[in-house]
Structures are given as structure tokens and as C-alpha cells.
Amino acid sequence: MANSPSSAPRQLLIVDDDEEFAESIADILIPAGYAPIVADRPDTAAIAVKRYSPPVAIIDIRLGGMSGVELLARLKAERPDLVGVMMTAHVDTQTAVTALRKGAYDYFDKSCNPDELKAVLDRAFERHGLEAENRAAYETLRVAKEAAEAANRAKSDFLANISHELRTPLNAIIGFSELMLSAAHGLIGNPTYQAYVSDIFDAGTDLLKIINEILDLSKAEAGRLELLEETVDVASVVRTVVRLVGPKADDAGLSLETNIPDIPPLLFCDRLKLKQVLLNFLSNAVKFTPTGGKISVTVTSDLTNGFIIAVKDSGIGIAEADIPRVLQPFIQVDSALSRAHSGTGLGLPLAAAMIELHGGRIQVASEPGQGTTVSAHFPAARIVGIADIMPALGLPFDTIEQPSEQRALKQA
Ligand code: ATP
Ligand code: MG
């Protein structure tokens, strides 16, 4: 902390082998509110710094056995916040520049007048004060960041534990209600009870989906979500997902088309996670598109843009300001349609985490009232070329040109 002349005296160290000169500076500075400590040798200077911790030291650049710059470096090793000012018999620019480069804050000519010296010292003390403030601010931020990280870890652990504990009883609820619905041990006599059991099964399944999503998201945040990678025919995943949401789209009077290239679009990825991502994109498109709307799924892959799966709808859209928000957990933009549909606001953040785990990114483009396109972009390195799968298809791989080295490897 800087001392101001109005409060405690400003402590400073004066190091000069010419003790008389050092004392004469001290005499000038004492009436101006300074408390100088004089040292005529490097070792006594080091002891003074250790004992009194002065914020500022003025050091003669030539100290007999050692250079002042060297001494400053030693003193700073002990007290990194010490601000050093060099004194020279007559300022020669080269020495001054070297001193500044080696850690001195400023320098002055020994023949300068007292006001010039005080001006240099004012700046040095101000510098010390600013540095102390910066360090304190940095320390506050560091402590706050550590606390936030610890809280986040605690939250992730808590979520992981609670999700695990909830899943066990939930599996019993889902399993037994399913068994009762399938009449495995005989029919349920009362149709009202039959309907209740069906509701229990649906509610249990919804809850399990939410719990699994929470668990996955907390795993992703903790960097513990892992990929099970394989070569995946994206066309078949799209077909499966379209089959799953098809009935809901039909009920809502929506058209659903797919644009997939003829050559099988193969991606090296986690099949289940990809399915989960696309299921969320498509069910969002169905949920947020009013009757009569259009939905399309387009797959493109090329080496420049990578592998892209885009789900486009002609629905209610998302306001520009809300686009970053919908990628955050538990955020749902309020609308009549979102109120009419169930959801927890975990689908998109989880999809984003899963795509990012593949080294890709999610993109949301939208125009309120016009529609939304949500796309998953995977890096080109994940595109599996036809040449890579020809042997697996039982095709001779020299039907296409390959570098001889690669061919030799594959034959081996
Ligand atoms: P969940 O996916 O967890 O069941 P959800 O669908 O509400 O619930 P997200 O998939 O994360 O959650 O989507 C978050 C919000 O983003 C939605 O509630 C909705 O407000 C907005 N949104 C997402 N997709 C679209 C879309 N295609 N058109 C308009 N709004 C959308
Ligand atoms: Mg969703």
C-alpha cells in the first residue's frame, strides 16, 4: 500500500557507496515526508529490504563491487513489488536504457535539483500503489474464480449423484408399468386404471429422459462425457430419427423432407450421441412449427466446409437476442407453442456439448416468424471417404487411384 505524505512517512531505501551523498539526499527528503533508510553496501541494502520492506529504493548505478542494476535484481528477488530508481553521476542514455530494461522503474541524475528528485519519487510511489491495487484486484478475482469453479464442481458432483440415485427407482416405475401395460400377468380390469398406468409409464419415461440429460450435461461440464466412435452412415441415423418424429409431424400437419447425397455420407462419430442431437433438432422443429409448416433435413459434406447436418423449419423462429440464450441450460423462450409442449430446455445445450466433443460446433440461424435452421458442423477430418470403406464393402480398392504407400499399407 502506498503511503501518502499526509499520512505515514514514505519509507524508502537509499543505496550509495558514497555515504555522504546518500545522507545529503536523506536530509532533503525527510522534511518532505519521507523516512529514508541509508545503506552503503549491497549486503546492508539486502538486510534493510528484508527488515523494513520499503516500497521504493533509489540505488546508485555504480556501487564499487556490484552494479546497481544487479543489486536491484537481487532485491527484487526478495521483494518483487520493490520499485527501483537508479541514480547516475550524469545520465548516459545507454546505461539508463539498460537499467530500465533490467527492471528499474526510473532514473535520475545525481546533479538534478530536489524538486526533480521528488517528482521522480512521487511517480515511483504512485507506481507501487497502482501495482499493489492490481495485485489485490487480481487476487480477489483469482479467489472468486476458484470459488466459482469449486461451486461448479460441487454442483456437477451433486447432479451426478442425485441423477444416479433417481434412476434406480425410476427404472422400477417404468419397468413395472410397462409390464402391467403389456398384461404380462393378466389384464387390468378397470379402464381408468389402465389409463393411469399408461400415464405413469409416460411420465416415468419423460423424467428418465430429463435425468439422463442432466447427467450427461454435468458430465460434459466436468469433461467426463466420452465418445464411442465408429464409422456411421448418417443417412440411416436420419431415417431412424425421421421415423421417430414422423407421427408427431403428421399429427401437426407438417411436411418433412430429407436431402441426403446418393453416396453414403459417412461420419466418424458417436452414433447414439448423433441420434440424440438430431432427435432434439427435429423434435424442436416439430414443436415450434405451426400447422402446415415445412421441415427439412439436409446433409452435406465436403473438405472445405466439413460435414454439416442442417434441420430447417418454417416455424415461429427465435429472436436474435435469444439465440445465445437457447444454448444455455434450462432456457426456454416463452411462447404459446413452448407452453403447449413439454421440455426442459436441456436439448440444445446438450446437443452443443456433444457436437463440441466431436471437435465441431452448433449453429443456430433464425428469423422470428420465418423459421429456424439449426445445424451440426463436424470437422472435415471426420468425413470417412469411400476409399476408406471399399475393402469393408468387399470392393477391390484399386478401382480408385490411391497413393502407392497407402495401398501397400492397406494390402498389408
Ligand atoms: P428439451 O429439448 O430439453 O426437451 P426444449 O426443446 O424446450 O426442451 P431446447 O431443445 O434446448 O429445449 O431448446 C431451447 C429453447 O429454444 C426452446 O424451448 C425454444 O424456445 C427454442 N427453440 C429451439 N429450437 C427451436 C426452433 N426450431 N424454433 C423455435 N424455437 C426453438
Ligand atoms: Mg428440445
Side-chain angles (χ1 to χ4, degrees):
M1 214 176 48
N3 296 318
S4 72
S6 57
S7 57
R10 292 167 151 187
Q11 215 170 35
L12 102 154
L13 175 67
I14 306 169
V15 191
D16 198 331
D17 52 355
D18 177 352
E19 207 175 346
E20 223 168 279
F21 183 78
E23 293 292 354
S24 71
I25 295 190
D27 289 344
I28 295 172
L29 292 177
I30 291 169
Y34 291 87
I37 311 152
V38 173
D40 62 349
R41 292 197 319 268
D43 54 342
T44 46
I47 293 168
V49 162
K50 220 178 218 163
R51 188 170 300 162
Y52 304 108
S53 303
V56 174
I58 49 181
I59 305 172
D60 189 12
I61 214 150
R62 277 182 247 285
L63 281 174
M66 184 190 276
S67 87
V69 176
E70 206 178 310
L71 173 65
L72 176 63
R74 281 201 198 176
L75 299 180
K76 275 177 94 71
E78 175 74 30
R79 279 287 311 267
D81 61 332
L82 180 72
V83 176
V85 177
M86 308 315 292
M87 307 184 257
T88 61
H90 45 90
V91 175
D92 95 72
T93 333
Q94 195 49 47
T95 327
V97 168
T98 313
L100 293 184
R101 217 180 260 155
K102 292 204 169 165
Y105 169 64
D106 208 344
Y107 57 86
F108 66 89
D109 193 322
K110 279 181 158 183
S111 60
C112 72
N113 67 45
D115 285 340
E116 281 176 72
L117 169 61
K118 283 180 210 156
V120 170
L121 287 180
D122 271 347
R123 284 202 301 274
F125 275 90
E126 197 178 321
R127 165 65 172 246
H128 185 269
L130 282 177
E131 279 182 3
E133 274 171 29
N134 281 347
R135 269 194 304 280
Y138 174 80
E139 188 54 18
T140 311
L141 279 180
R142 195 187 59 77
V143 169
K145 180 172 169 273
E146 264 177 22
E149 281 170 359
N152 201 34
R153 268 197 305 278
K155 181 203 73 182
S156 294
D157 289 347
F158 170 76
L159 286 176
N161 286 335
I162 195 106
S163 306
H164 185 74
E165 296 300 325
L166 288 174
R167 271 204 301 193
T168 314
L170 208 47
N171 279 324
I173 294 170
I174 294 169
F176 287 127
S177 57
E178 195 174 20
L179 209 68
M180 289 162 84
L181 284 177
S182 70
H185 298 287
L187 288 170
I188 304 170
N190 188 317
T192 308
Y193 285 160
Q194 170 90 18
Y196 287 170
V197 174
S198 172
D199 288 347
I200 292 171
F201 175 77
D202 288 347
T205 315
D206 283 350
L207 198 51
L208 185 62
K209 174 179 167 274
I210 295 172
I211 289 169
N212 282 337
E213 285 180 348
I214 292 178
L215 189 62
D216 278 351
L217 205 57
S218 63
K219 269 194 196 161
E221 277 180 5
R224 289 201 299 256
L225 196 64
E226 281 172 11
L227 292 178
L228 210 75
E229 293 162 303
E230 58 183 320
T231 296
V232 174
D233 176 6
V234 175
S236 86
V237 178
V238 171
R239 275 195 299 274
T240 308
V241 174
V242 165
R243 215 177 304 124
L244 285 172
V245 299
K248 274 199 178 147
D250 289 345
D251 288 351
L254 305 171
S255 73
L256 189 68
E257 67 168 42
T258 56
N259 310 306
I260 301 174
D262 291 336
I263 300 173
L266 302 176
L267 186 66
F268 189 66
C269 67
D270 184 318
R271 179 192 300 271
L272 276 180
K273 291 193 175 57
L274 179 70
K275 184 175 153 197
Q276 205 174 331
V277 166
L278 294 187
L279 194 56
N280 180 57
F281 286 4
L282 263 174
S283 28
N284 282 353
V286 171
K287 278 198 284 191
F288 301 110
T289 306
T291 314
K294 272 169 64 174
I295 297 171
S296 64
V297 186
T298 305
V299 177
T300 53
S301 87
D302 65 74
L303 290 177
T304 318
N305 299 304
F307 198 109
I308 304 173
I309 311 168
V311 175
K312 182 170 192 271
D313 65 54
S314 61
I316 58 170
I318 307 169
E320 199 178 337
D322 287 327
I323 292 181
R325 292 178 66 234
V326 297
L327 294 172
Q328 290 166 17
F330 301 110
I331 297 287
Q332 295 177 291
V333 180
D334 190 42
S335 70
L337 277 185
S338 54
R339 266 175 268 125
H341 291 280
S342 69
T344 30
L346 286 171
L348 283 180
L350 191 56
M354 287 176 170
I355 298 166
E356 281 158 20
L357 208 59
H358 284 84
R361 66 190 165 85
I362 191 170
Q363 194 173 309
V364 180
S366 192
E367 179 96 21
Q370 301 298 309
T372 303
T373 303
V374 182
S375 44
H377 295 241
F378 294 92
R382 287 194 170 271
I383 301 173
V384 182
I386 190 78
D388 296 306
I389 53 137
M390 297 263 272
L393 295 175
L395 298 171
F397 42 72
D398 51 8
T399 42
I400 55 163
E401 218 29 69
Q402 291 184 46
S404 54
E405 202 178 301
Q406 200 176 336
R407 196 179 308 155
L409 263 176
K410 292 204 168 174
Q411 276 165 336

